[in-house]
């Protein structure tokens, strides 16, 4: 990792790019709706992602961190880990909360930095989940266009793979996506593929790789990396196959 480059990138992020704050907290018109999220989440889950091949939850938030859409893959809301619904919302909130118009940070990029002794240790304890918004019923609406999280700010910080900021074709930061339900390495790959399918991966740069960098998951043991999950060889191959963000 080039620490000098990282410092320059973070400084530049303070002044470059654009961010689309909604006209109101509940404005989601710049983001995909439930049907679009569900379609691309299904496509992504069916790809080779290096995990267990499990069904998924996905959540999209706007730039103010308000949930705009929640969807799942599989036959019904019991086909996935139930806990992954709220985790997907946490990941989306985190991807939005810690990305900037000039710098995209994935939740996978945060893992190493929040370990004891890391530069961001304690971050994972900030911004707790609003449990009233997260677990509101009726449960038969979960993952539908009428999911009770929609229009609410769930919050929460998650620091392993599966959360990515969303940048439209003009490079404007419009929110984030969170995906959960498999290994965190597979979650990242599925989020990456879903974002790409939604045409919202026009990122400005990140902390992984040569300038301008990317928000790709890294397993290199550096300050913006996370560990492998299941099969290192397979997970490295998945990252190589994911290609550019957009």
């Amino acid at each position: 990792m080039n620490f000098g480059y990282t410092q320059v990138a973070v400084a530049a992020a303070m002044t470059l790019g654009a961010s689309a704050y909604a006209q109101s907290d509940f404005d989601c018109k710049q983001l995909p709706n439930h049907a679009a999220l569900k379609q691309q989440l299904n496509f992504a889950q069916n790809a080779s992602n290096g995990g267990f091949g499990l069904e998924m939850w996905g959540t999209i938030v706007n730039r103010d961190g308000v949930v705009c859409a929640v969807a799942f893959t599989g036959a019904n809301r019991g086909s996935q880990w139930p806990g992954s619904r709220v985790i997907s919302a946490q990941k989306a909130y985190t991807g939005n909360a810690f990305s900037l118009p000039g710098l995209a940070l994935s939740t996978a990029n945060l893992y190493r930095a929040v370990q004891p002794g890391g530069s961001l240790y304690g971050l994972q304890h900030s911004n707790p989940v609003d449990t009233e918004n997260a677990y509101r019923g009726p449960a038969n609406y979960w993952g539908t266009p009428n999911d009770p999280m929609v229009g609410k700010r769930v919050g929460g910080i998650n620091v392993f793979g599966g959360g990515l900021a969303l940048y439209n074709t003009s490079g404007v930061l419009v929110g984030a996506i969170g995906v959960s339900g498999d290994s965190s390495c597979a979650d990242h790959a599925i989020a990456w593929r879903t974002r790409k399918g939604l045409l919202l991966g026009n990122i400005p740069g990140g902390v992984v790789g040569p300038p301008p960098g990317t928000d790709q998951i890294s397993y290199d043991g550096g300050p913006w990396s996370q560990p492998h999950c299941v099969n290192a060889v397979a997970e490295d191959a998945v990252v190589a196959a994911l290609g550019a963000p957009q």
Side-chain angles (χ1 to χ4, degrees), residues 3-232:
F3 287 98
Y5 162 63
T6 301
Q7 292 169 351
V8 170
V10 171
M14 302 300 291
T15 56
L16 298 177
S19 180
Y21 281 94
Q23 293 181 351
S24 75
D25 283 3
F26 313 109
D27 185 0
C28 294
K29 62 178 177 288
Q30 300 186 74
L31 291 160
N33 61 17
H34 172 269
L37 171 60
K38 188 174 181 70
Q39 180 186 56
Q40 293 303 324
L41 189 64
N42 272 298
F43 288 156
Q45 189 274 335
N46 283 321
S48 177
N49 296 301
F52 301 106
L54 303 179
E55 302 295 347
M56 307 299 297
W57 284 96
T59 298
I60 286 175
V61 302
N62 68 13
R63 187 62 178 132
D64 290 311
V66 173
V67 174
C68 291
V70 184
F72 57 75
T73 69
N76 55 56
R77 70 179 188 277
S79 300
Q80 326 74 20
W81 289 329
S84 283
R85 172 177 168 268
V86 174
I87 292 173
S88 73
Q90 283 183 287
K91 290 182 181 182
Y93 186 85
T94 307
N96 176 70
F98 296 103
S99 291
L100 291 167
L103 182 71
L105 280 176
S106 66
T107 53
N109 297 154
L110 296 173
Y111 176 90
R112 189 74 60 184
V114 303
Q115 301 308 307
S119 62
L120 296 176
Y121 178 63
L123 179 71
Q124 65 270 43
H125 304 302
S126 68
N127 296 275
V129 168
D130 184 323
T131 54
E132 182 176 354
N133 286 339
Y135 301 111
R136 186 188 302 268
N140 62 307
Y141 284 0
W142 291 358
T144 74
N146 297 315
D147 190 295
M149 288 198 298
V150 172
K152 305 293 192 300
R153 191 176 287 105
V154 172
I157 300 299
N158 190 282
V159 292
F160 48 79
L164 297 168
L166 301 176
Y167 296 80
N168 67 18
T169 53
S170 298
V172 177
L173 174 56
V174 292
I177 183 170
V179 166
S180 181
D182 207 309
S183 72
S184 64
C185 303
D187 289 355
H188 172 87
I190 294 167
W192 188 277
R193 296 182 195 277
T194 303
R195 179 176 72 174
K196 197 168 187 175
L198 293 170
L199 304 180
L200 290 170
N202 190 24
I203 70 168
V207 294
V208 171
T214 181
D215 57 353
Q216 182 60 273
I217 196 169
S218 171
Y219 302 118
D220 67 3
W224 305 106
S225 65
Q226 79 155 60
H228 282 286
C229 299
V230 180
N231 183 313

